[in-house]
Amino acid sequence: MLRSNTTTRALAAAALAILAVPLHAAATASLPDAAARFGARESVAQMRLSPDGSHVVYIAPGTGQGGTAMTLSLAPGATPIRSLSATGAPERLQGCAWTSAARLLCTIYGVVNSASVGEILPFSRLVAANAAGGNVRMVSTRQSFDSLGIQLYGGEVLDWLPDETDNILVVRNYVPEANAATRLVQKGEGLGVDRLNTASLKSTRVESPRDDAMTYLSDGRGAVRIMGLYAVAGATGQTTPISTYMFRRSGSRAWEKLSTWNGQSREGFLPIAVDHDLDAAYGFLKTDGRLALGRMKLDGSGQMETISARPDVDVDGLVRIGRRNRPIGSTYATDRREQKIFDADIARLLKGLTKAIPDQPLLQIVDSSTDERILLLWAGSDSDPGVYYILNRDTRELRTFLVVRPELEKVGLAKMKPVVFPAADGTSVPGYLTLPPGSDGRNLPALVLPHGGPSARDEWGFDWLAQFYAHMGYAVLQPNFRGSAGYGDAWFQENGFRAWKTAIGDVADAGRWMVQQGVADPKRLGIAGWSYGGYAALQAAATYPDLFHAVVAIAPVTDLATLKQEGRNWSDFRLRADFIGSGPHIVEGSPAQNAASLKAPVLLFHGDLDRNV
């Protein structure tokens, strides 16, 4: 049976402490309480500010994977109000935002095991409700008995239309119907854009559905300026890594070609936002093997300028503010996540706030009122799970609002230190070392904790799992092995599956380095991971059977051939198959094919409704 997210996290947190030799008796005695504290979900998540800056909405955890959308006035002494709940079986609330001062739009996500299709299917839906509860309406297009397909994607908000009450531009997915005997039959197919009132559900068509459309971008003022189209390979219906982006000049309805983007090689220009005032698109392009943020004019000239680039890491994000999603900066991760703000007023504001709260250097503008005078901020650090603040820019009042993890408020948390260790071939591999609070960092039970992905990376900041193990007395090293994202093409290589020997070699070298440095007791060195991290834990233990003495693998990939075949009925099967590749590594790099080499005890967790693995 699929366990709830909270239960799985608590069990996973406890697992390695049970398998490995405990540091001392007190650690074992405190294990259940510590697992509950660190494995608990955040008490407030996905917080958003109302258009007038007077209220917030956030998701509070419920039983299992359930959750409740809570609205809360910023007035002193106010109490939260329940707006909308989901049980988590299977519907889960992912987040809510405001369509007006009194109404919300929420995204619901779930996974079901469809006996008729023979697949585990993910689905999402958009649902509107009053902030005070009631008048719940389905915003996503509905499926009928005549539908010629399954409605999985529920759509997303394209433009919040802050100058209009309860109106939004929404991207919706249309599934054609078979019954041609009625004039009400749905003939459109694919993604389209509608202007919709979330209270009455009255809508007008803005962009007709297209079966090759993959995304739309608006200018924050109701005009759809960019459309992304995906390409398929011949008659197979299989998507390719190539996408084409079309644009409209200001005031025009005619589509013109803007750019192409190869998602595999990261070549071309990938637009991600439109700046109305500059009449330009922000997007990613590659410079010297790394992603940079660029800006292209939308006047047909094709004029491009690079806004932000780094010689060491990818520029991987665009910083935006307000209900119009106004672009104000770029973001990237070196040793820490950093922002390069190109809006002068906001840059000065953030610089002053960083000085006001120096112990929480990870500072983000989460949301703002429509006029951008009231800001919702989040700040945290490696040893602080985070606090939400409210800033009134007119009165200059910075108000501490809500903490993210109240269960850990009085718990001493560990510091995360950026480190570099040598791989066997001499390459310097970056990572993060977390030591138990108050420890001398010598001869400790230790854990290598590789990240998931593999197209991901670890960053400096609070990590509940690493903090749990440090609290229990373990040294924890999180390596950004070759195959990790964020460091450019040369570091990514052929990804952590095709180039598994390099990636897993780096993971193993992380453990050896801790032993060589005297941090880890070689007889109490373990490895644990989630998703690709679980794969890395198993494959490292199978490849280097005498190195690790305990293994925890959570939702791991265990067989590369199976991972490919499980995507056969989907349009991205060829992309998945190409990513994993073919050849001897399919067997050599699969833990299930090399299980006989394992010497350490293994604890493996898996949900039976896991769509990824």
Side-chain angles (χ1 to χ4, degrees):
M1 177 179 291
L2 178 70
R3 291 189 179 273
S4 73
N5 193 39
T6 304
T7 304
T8 301
R9 287 168 62 146
L11 285 172
L16 193 81
I18 294 172
L19 275 177
V21 179
L23 183 62
H24 45 68
T28 305
S30 63
L31 176 60
D33 176 68
R37 283 175 180 266
F38 286 89
R41 292 159 60 189
E42 296 178 348
S43 62
V44 291
Q46 301 299 319
M47 190 180 292
R48 292 295 181 266
L49 192 64
S50 64
D52 61 0
S54 65
H55 290 71
V56 294
V57 60
Y58 61 89
I59 306 301
T63 303
Q65 293 177 337
T68 300
M70 310 291 289
T71 58
L72 176 61
S73 169
L74 300 187
T79 57
I81 297 174
R82 293 174 177 265
S83 299
L84 188 69
S85 294
T87 64
E91 299 90 355
R92 302 173 229 168
L93 271 173
Q94 282 195 312
C96 299
W98 303 80
T99 63
S100 68
R103 195 147 174 84
L104 304 172
L105 186 72
C106 301
T107 300
I108 291 175
Y109 173 79
V111 180
V112 294
N113 196 342
S114 173
S116 59
V117 177
E119 288 272 0
I120 297 173
L121 301 177
F123 68 89
S124 64
R125 295 292 184 268
L126 296 179
V127 177
N130 289 340
N135 192 20
V136 179
R137 309 295 295 271
M138 175 73 76
V139 171
S140 303
T141 54
R142 295 179 180 272
Q143 186 171 328
S144 73
F145 288 108
D146 296 320
S147 295
L148 296 176
I150 300 175
Q151 179 68 279
L152 299 179
Y153 174 57
E156 61 184 313
V157 174
L158 179 63
D159 195 318
W160 292 101
L161 301 178
D163 298 324
E164 304 179 28
T165 300
D166 286 328
N167 286 337
I168 57 173
L169 284 190
V170 59
V171 177
R172 297 202 285 184
N173 188 46
Y174 285 86
V175 177
E177 295 175 337
N179 188 358
T182 171
R183 291 191 298 176
L184 298 179
V185 66
Q186 166 56 244
K187 296 181 180 179
E189 181 176 6
L191 296 186
V193 179
D194 298 330
R195 179 185 296 269
L196 180 139
N197 184 281
T198 63
S200 67
L201 293 191
K202 291 182 179 179
S203 67
T204 55
R205 181 63 47 80
V206 175
E207 301 292 339
S208 297
R210 292 186 54 151
D211 61 1
D212 60 346
M214 56 185 292
T215 190
Y216 295 91
L217 299 176
S218 86
D219 64 354
R221 287 168 172 77
V224 180
R225 298 292 304 277
I226 293 178
M227 173 176 60
L229 308 174
Y230 64 81
V232 297
T236 66
Q238 289 289 310
T239 54
T240 74
I242 308 296
S243 50
T244 301
Y245 290 87
M246 312 296 289
F247 81 102
R248 287 186 175 124
R249 303 187 192 212
S250 180
S252 172
R253 290 288 299 171
W255 288 114
E256 302 177 52
K257 185 176 179 179
L258 178 72
S259 65
T260 59
W261 176 255
N262 186 321
Q264 203 166 59
S265 65
R266 308 197 303 177
E267 300 287 347
F269 178 69
L270 174 64
I272 57 173
V274 174
D275 190 314
H276 172 272
D277 296 335
L278 297 178
D279 192 26
Y282 286 93
F284 296 118
L285 66 157
K286 192 161 63 173
T287 302
D288 296 328
R290 295 177 179 84
L291 289 185
L293 181 69
R295 187 167 61 204
M296 181 183 288
K297 297 291 290 183
L298 294 179
D299 58 3
S301 67
Q303 180 183 340
M304 167 84 76
E305 59 180 319
T306 300
I307 302 300
S308 179
R310 295 281 305 185
D312 49 354
V313 295
D314 291 333
V315 176
D316 56 10
L318 180 68
V319 183
R320 312 185 207 193
I321 188 174
R323 294 180 60 75
R324 299 189 195 279
N325 284 318
R326 182 170 68 89
I328 61 169
S330 63
T331 181
Y332 49 86
T334 54
D335 284 345
R336 298 185 182 184
R337 173 62 57 175
E338 300 179 44
Q339 298 181 123
K340 179 182 178 182
I341 304 299
F342 42 73
D343 181 288
D345 289 340
I346 299 298
R348 283 192 295 269
L349 175 67
L350 292 178
K351 185 176 180 180
L353 288 170
T354 300
K355 292 180 179 179
I357 45 177
D359 294 335
Q360 296 174 312
L362 298 179
L363 177 63
Q364 300 173 9
I365 298 177
V366 177
D367 204 358
S368 80
S369 56
T370 300
D371 61 8
E372 298 183 9
R373 303 311 298 172
I374 307 295
L375 301 184
L376 174 64
L377 308 170
W378 175 90
S381 71
D382 56 342
S383 57
D384 187 335
V387 177
Y388 284 102
Y389 295 90
I390 302 294
L391 174 66
N392 187 314
R393 296 177 68 186
D394 295 323
T395 65
R396 299 195 176 191
E397 176 191 8
L398 180 64
R399 172 185 165 192
T400 302
F401 189 41
L402 291 173
V403 298
V404 173
R405 292 178 179 269
E407 301 91 346
L408 299 178
E409 276 294 278
K410 296 182 180 181
V411 177
L413 298 176
K415 293 292 185 180
M416 175 186 276
K417 178 184 177 182
V419 297
V420 174
F421 62 88
D425 62 3
T427 301
S428 295
V429 180
Y432 298 95
L433 179 63
T434 304
L435 298 176
S439 164
D440 62 2
R442 307 297 296 174
N443 202 37
L444 298 170
L447 173 69
V448 176
L449 189 64
H451 61 72
S455 305
R457 59 157 290 174
D458 279 313
E459 295 186 22
W460 186 88
F462 177 83
D463 184 305
W464 68 271
L465 192 54
Q467 286 287 345
F468 165 77
Y469 285 126
H471 181 78
M472 297 304 299
Y474 292 88
V476 181
L477 180 55
Q478 296 168 270
N480 279 325
F481 47 86
R482 281 169 285 184
S484 300
Y487 295 93
D489 292 350
W491 194 260
F492 185 70
Q493 296 196 346
E494 290 186 284
N495 74 60
F497 290 128
R498 285 176 173 264
W500 75 267
K501 289 183 179 179
T502 300
I504 300 305
D506 289 352
V507 170
D509 287 335
R512 294 190 185 98
W513 179 79
M514 280 202 289
V515 172
Q516 292 165 0
Q517 295 297 305
V519 173
D521 176 350
K523 295 182 180 179
R524 295 188 290 171
L525 177 64
I527 186 168
W530 213 301
S531 192
Y532 180 88
Y535 163 83
L538 291 171
Q539 188 64 10
T543 307
Y544 307 99
D546 296 318
L547 180 61
F548 299 105
H549 297 275
V551 182
V552 177
I554 308 163
V557 172
T558 55
D559 189 272
L560 299 185
T562 300
L563 183 64
K564 284 205 299 185
Q565 291 305 314
E566 286 177 341
R568 180 165 290 281
N569 295 328
W570 298 81
S571 61
D572 66 347
F573 168 68
R574 180 48 53 195
L575 290 177
R576 177 195 286 226
D578 289 345
F579 184 82
I580 298 169
S582 301
H585 74 280
I586 294 298
V587 173
E588 295 171 357
S590 294
Q593 304 297 327
N594 298 279
S597 299
L598 289 163
K599 292 183 179 180
V602 174
L603 182 58
L604 189 149
F605 291 86
H606 225 299
D608 56 11
L609 291 181
D610 190 326
R611 266 291 305 149
N612 288 334
V613 182

